Amino acid sequence: MPEGDTVWQAARRLHIALAGRVLIRSDLRVPKYATADLTGRTVLDVTPRGKHLLTRIEGGLTLHSHLRMDGSWKIYPPGARWTGGPAHQIRAILGTTEHTAVGYRLPVLELLRTADEHRAVGHLGPDLLGPDWDPERALANLRTDPARALGEALLDQRNLAGIGNVYKSELCFLLGVTPWLPVGALPADRAAQLPALAKRLLEANRDRPVRSTTGRRGQELFVYGRAHRPCLRCRTPIRAADQGDGSRERPTYWCPACQPGPAPAPGAPASRGFRSRSTD
């Protein structure tokens, strides 16, 4: 799933291509909006909100999209071949005289009044890359459920918006705790570091073509995707297990030496001890 930095990059590309230009083509391939016609309207801006994209259009309209696991927006110049996937995967087309933006495999696509954007994103916590960022509120949100596993709390976008599975694993490594540590057991000094560390990671990567949390070329990530490979710090093999609330399990990576604390036993099923929550 794209994370906050990736969505920020997508919003910037869309904004550069579309903002200030009149739509000459509009095709929303979702039954509810199949007859909606946005042609003749000017795109005002494209704004990221956590993992959500808000394309604001003249006349008080917003096209809200979410990429989830497989969605993407591709931008093409006139006459270029569209290469984002087969035609049946296209969910949206927004075209100007200079560019055409094509949304592929978008699991969330809705047209709403700009005044009603809160219906789509009002549940989100402070955005790590947004103007509403508030580290104290983000930390307070995380602490509202002290028994919840830290990894699950970080993924809950109602606490703070923008962290996905990669940053969850990398943040827990940098904090020196396992993703299964209850939020309430996180040492106070590390809890105080968490919001600033998360923001620093996303800000450092929002302009990079290749995400890096290590600063090392060729070794971009400390633990994510490195199961059974040696830890970059201590050489202990990295472990992997599913973590989730029973409704959605996600692969999670950690170093058992650098991150002491609670963790599933080798071969154990994914954790199911927490109630289901929206994380988008």
Side-chain angles (χ1 to χ4, degrees), residues 220-257:
E220 281 76 21
L221 301 175
F222 283 109
V223 292
Y224 187 83
R226 302 190 67 250
H228 311 301
R229 297 171 64 186
C231 173
L232 297 182
R233 284 184 177 170
C234 73
R235 311 305 292 174
T236 299
I238 299 298
R239 286 188 58 193
D242 285 342
Q243 183 180 34
D245 59 11
S247 64
R248 183 185 299 176
E249 310 295 345
R250 288 173 173 156
T252 301
Y253 302 84
W254 78 104
C255 172

Side-chain angles (χ1 to χ4, degrees), residues 40-117:
R41 298 174 185 258
T42 299
V43 176
L44 303 179
D45 66 75
V46 183
T47 298
R49 181 73 174 87
K51 301 179 186 179
H52 300 249
L53 286 164
L54 303 172
T55 302
R56 297 181 179 123
I57 301 166
E58 180 184 19
L61 296 176
T62 295
L63 185 65
H64 165 233
S65 58
H66 194 298
L67 306 180
R68 295 267 171 89
M69 293 296 294
D70 301 315
S72 67
W73 279 96
K74 303 291 185 181
I75 299 168
Y76 303 101
R81 180 171 173 265
W82 297 357
T83 58
H88 72 266
Q89 293 182 347
I90 295 173
R91 296 293 176 265
I93 301 171
L94 299 176
T96 71
T97 56
E98 294 87 359
H99 298 95
T100 299
V102 184
Y104 289 90
R105 300 172 297 279
L106 301 174
V108 176
L109 186 71
E110 61 175 338
L111 188 64
L112 62 154
R113 294 187 349 177
T114 300
D116 293 333
E117 285 181 359

